[in-house]
Amino acid sequence: MACAYAVAPIKASQVERAYFLIGAVGYDVDPCAWRQVCAAALMRRHPSPFVKEIAVVEDSLGYIRGIAILRVRHHERLGRHLSVPVFVVASAGDPRGVCDALLEYLRLAAFNRHCRAIHVASLAPDRWPGADGEVDGIIIPLR
């Protein structure tokens, strides 16, 4: 069912709808801070130092079903990798399809950025991602 979803960098028209999903999983970020994070991601000429891109999964009806924040990082063991401090999927009917669509987008993003792996951090709503690296989660090696 991955073809039923469009995955792309966040658009200005999706910022408010995406905030509801971020809030639903419990991240303690206020709407103003969320808008600032999105504004940094939307400004291609002046990217934020830690948020390179916010990707959203949208279904055919225009509902936001998933969000990922991704950035390229370097780690002494992993080397150049795609760090994903926020990975949220919200679908009662097709969580696997939404997850597959988002993971495929991340794989392509990692490939295009010459990364050797993808690090998806564990869901930690009490810890909004900062500039320092995450220490938990899963690592998906790429070939």
Side-chain angles (χ1 to χ4, degrees):
M1 258 199 169
C3 62
Y5 305 104
V7 187
I10 196 166
K11 300 174 193 155
S13 62
Q14 297 171 320
V15 170
E16 298 302 321
R17 291 182 288 141
Y19 175 74
F20 289 109
L21 187 56
I22 290 292
V25 296
Y27 277 113
D28 187 24
V29 60
D30 62 69
C32 184
W34 172 249
R35 287 183 199 108
Q36 289 175 349
V37 169
C38 290
L42 288 168
M43 292 179 7
R44 302 277 186 232
R45 294 180 190 158
H46 308 292
S48 168
F50 73 97
V51 177
K52 296 297 183 188
E53 185 177 336
I54 300 172
V56 296
V57 181
E58 189 174 75
D59 68 13
S60 60
L61 298 174
Y63 291 102
I64 305 292
R65 297 296 180 190
I67 298 175
I69 296 178
L70 50 138
R71 62 189 176 206
V72 174
R73 302 288 302 256
H74 190 274
H75 186 273
E76 58 190 43
R77 194 173 33 127
L78 294 175
R80 185 178 174 95
H81 68 282
L82 191 68
S83 174
V84 185
V86 174
F87 184 95
V88 178
V89 171
S91 173
D94 187 25
R96 187 175 193 169
V98 175
C99 185
D100 286 348
L102 194 51
L103 283 173
E104 182 59 26
Y105 182 87
L106 294 176
R107 280 188 202 101
L108 287 172
F111 177 77
N112 290 336
R113 291 167 173 87
H114 308 290
C115 294
R116 295 174 38 192
I118 300 171
H119 174 231
V120 180
S122 296
L123 180 63
D126 61 332
R127 188 183 72 224
W128 184 249
D132 56 345
E134 302 80 31
V135 294
D136 56 350
I138 61 169
I139 296 172
I140 304 167
L142 301 172
R143 294 182 181 194

